[in-house]
């Protein structure tokens, strides 16, 4: 019998604006001692559902750079529009995912889509930062945009498992990764138990998007990330009817991490170079 334990609860009751379109809780961020629990996942911003009135204004974040990692954006409600200097871009609607490998460097912007802005409504999203190994930090940037309908779904007794990246029970997700990673969305139609196995060395986090999880008689709520440990072959995560979880599993990247704002590299010298390259326009432009 497997026993699942929560070794760390990731949460942040303080919210802040990113631009004027994303009101987020940062559950964890690079450059802190928490990274030993979340490696290779550098940061996670959670924008809980918020209603926006109709407007002709563009709400979001203007042009800014990234280097040395990947940004993964999950649209829960509303629509997110993205453009970057490598030519990537598009609009994702609820259930869609944008996976931008910044690598050697891009500049990009992120806004509510024009159509969503004009009609208004509830908006909710998650952005995850994923580290890259040193050998790939200066590789070519890449962009993946995947719509909700293109993700395979594994139907089980009490829940459905949407496979975003990696594999679940032999079903492979469409988002390609640069290190061993599984990302799953689990939607509970009835209260029940989600059972999941992965390599023993993988970090595994269960992010509660909605609903409730109970482990060892302790209740956990939305906007909490649970760093899990297992005594046995698989994780067992019980959740109530209507719950939605995002399961993040990744093989740790055991390399030094140095971060400065939108740059995550291995040394301080590389951070200085990133700033110089951005200031010299070497990460491209948005036309």
């Amino acid at each position: 019998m497997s026993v699942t334990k929560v070794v760390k609860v990731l949460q942040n009751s303080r919210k802040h604006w990113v631009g004027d379109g994303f009101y987020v809780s940062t559950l964890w961020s690079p450059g802190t001692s928490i990274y030993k629990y979340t490696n290779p996942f550098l940061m996670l911003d959670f924008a809980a559902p918020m209603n926006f009135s109709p407007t002709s204004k563009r709400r979001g974040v203007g042009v800014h750079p990234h280097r040395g990692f990947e940004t993964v954006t999950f649209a829960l409600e509303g629509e997110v529009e993205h453009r970057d200097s490598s030519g990537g871009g598009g609009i994702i609607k609820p259930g869609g995912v944008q996976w931008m490998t910044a690598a050697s460097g891009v500049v990009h912007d992120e806004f509510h889509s024009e159509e969503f802005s004009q009609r208004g409504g509830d908006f909710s999203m998650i952005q995850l930062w994923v580290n890259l190994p040193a050998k790939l930090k200066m590789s070519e940037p890449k962009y993946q945009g995947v719509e909700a309908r293109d993700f395979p779904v594994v139907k089980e007794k009490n829940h459905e498992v949407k496979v975003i990246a990696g594999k679940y029970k032999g079903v492979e997700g469409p988002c390609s990764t640069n290190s061993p990673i599984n990302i799953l969305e689990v939607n509970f139609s009835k209260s029940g138990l989600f059972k999941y196995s992965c390599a023993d060395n993988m970090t595994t986090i269960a992010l509660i998007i909605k609903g409730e999880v109970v482990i060892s008689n302790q209740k956990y709520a939305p906007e909490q990330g649970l760093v899990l440990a297992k005594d046995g072959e698989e994780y067992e995560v019980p959740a109530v009817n209507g719950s939605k979880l995002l399961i993040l599993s990744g093989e740790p990247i055991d390399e030094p991490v140095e971060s400065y704002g939108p740059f995550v590299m291995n040394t301080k010298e590389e951070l200085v170079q990133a700033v110089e390259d951005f200031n010299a326009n070497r990460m491209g432009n948005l036309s």
Side-chain angles (χ1 to χ4, degrees):
M1 178 180 176
S2 293
V3 177
T4 298
K5 298 179 181 179
V6 176
V7 297
K8 184 74 174 176
V9 179
L10 307 165
Q11 60 186 348
N12 186 353
S13 60
R14 292 177 295 178
K15 296 179 183 289
H16 65 278
W17 283 99
V18 177
D20 61 358
F22 309 105
Y23 190 52
V24 305
S25 300
T26 300
L27 273 64
W28 69 89
S29 57
T32 69
S33 60
I34 289 176
Y35 184 59
K36 66 184 178 183
Y37 296 102
T38 67
N39 186 355
F41 306 112
L42 294 161
M43 188 205 77
L44 188 138
D45 275 347
F46 191 125
M50 182 176 186
N51 189 268
F52 286 85
S53 59
T55 182
S56 58
K57 179 185 175 183
R58 297 187 78 200
R59 291 190 180 113
V61 187
V63 178
H64 59 283
H66 290 298
R67 172 180 280 181
F69 62 99
E70 305 179 281
T71 67
V72 187
T73 304
F74 308 85
L76 303 175
E77 300 180 66
E79 299 176 0
V80 181
E81 183 173 358
H82 164 100
R83 297 183 307 150
D84 68 53
S85 55
S86 74
I91 296 172
I92 53 168
K93 300 182 179 183
V97 174
Q98 292 176 338
W99 195 302
M100 184 186 76
T101 304
S104 60
V106 297
V107 297
H108 77 143
D109 60 20
E110 302 161 281
F111 288 96
H112 297 184
S113 73
E114 183 178 357
E115 183 179 329
F116 174 78
S117 296
Q118 290 177 351
R119 72 170 184 267
D122 289 340
F123 183 90
S124 179
M125 55 76 71
I126 293 165
Q127 186 167 95
L128 175 72
W129 288 12
V130 181
N131 200 10
L132 286 170
K135 64 183 180 180
L136 295 177
K137 283 187 179 292
M138 293 302 290
S139 60
E140 288 293 316
K142 178 182 175 181
Y143 175 83
Q144 303 172 74
V146 184
E147 297 182 20
R149 65 175 181 238
D150 295 324
F151 291 104
V153 173
V154 179
K155 296 184 179 181
E156 300 185 315
K157 183 178 178 182
N158 300 309
H159 52 263
E160 295 184 348
V161 181
K162 173 179 164 182
V163 187
I164 296 170
K167 289 185 178 180
Y168 178 73
K169 295 190 174 179
V171 177
E172 190 168 353
C175 292
S176 65
T177 67
N178 287 289
S179 60
I181 286 173
N182 296 328
I183 299 183
L184 314 171
E185 181 187 287
V186 187
N187 293 283
F188 287 80
S189 55
K190 297 179 183 177
S191 297
L193 196 64
F194 170 63
K195 296 184 178 183
Y196 166 67
S197 61
C198 62
D200 288 341
N201 67 332
M202 279 186 157
T203 298
T204 295
I205 302 168
L207 174 68
I208 306 170
I209 297 173
K210 63 180 180 180
E212 182 180 85
V213 166
V214 182
I215 297 177
S216 300
N217 297 317
Q218 177 68 47
K219 295 181 179 180
Y220 300 98
E223 297 185 66
Q224 290 185 315
L226 311 179
V227 182
L228 302 177
K230 60 184 171 66
D231 180 8
E233 293 186 355
E234 57 188 6
Y235 295 99
E236 295 185 349
V237 183
V240 303
N241 178 27
S243 295
K244 181 190 292 286
L245 310 179
L246 190 66
I247 305 296
L248 309 172
S249 286
E251 184 177 286
I253 297 172
D254 293 323
E255 298 173 353
V257 171
E258 295 288 345
S259 65
Y260 177 76
F263 308 124
V264 181
M265 303 300 290
N266 298 109
T267 68
K268 288 183 171 62
E269 291 76 15
E270 290 170 334
L271 292 178
V272 171
Q273 186 63 56
V275 173
E276 290 179 357
D277 288 347
F278 170 63
N279 289 335
N281 248 9
R282 298 189 190 110
M283 295 184 186
N285 295 281
L286 291 181
S287 54

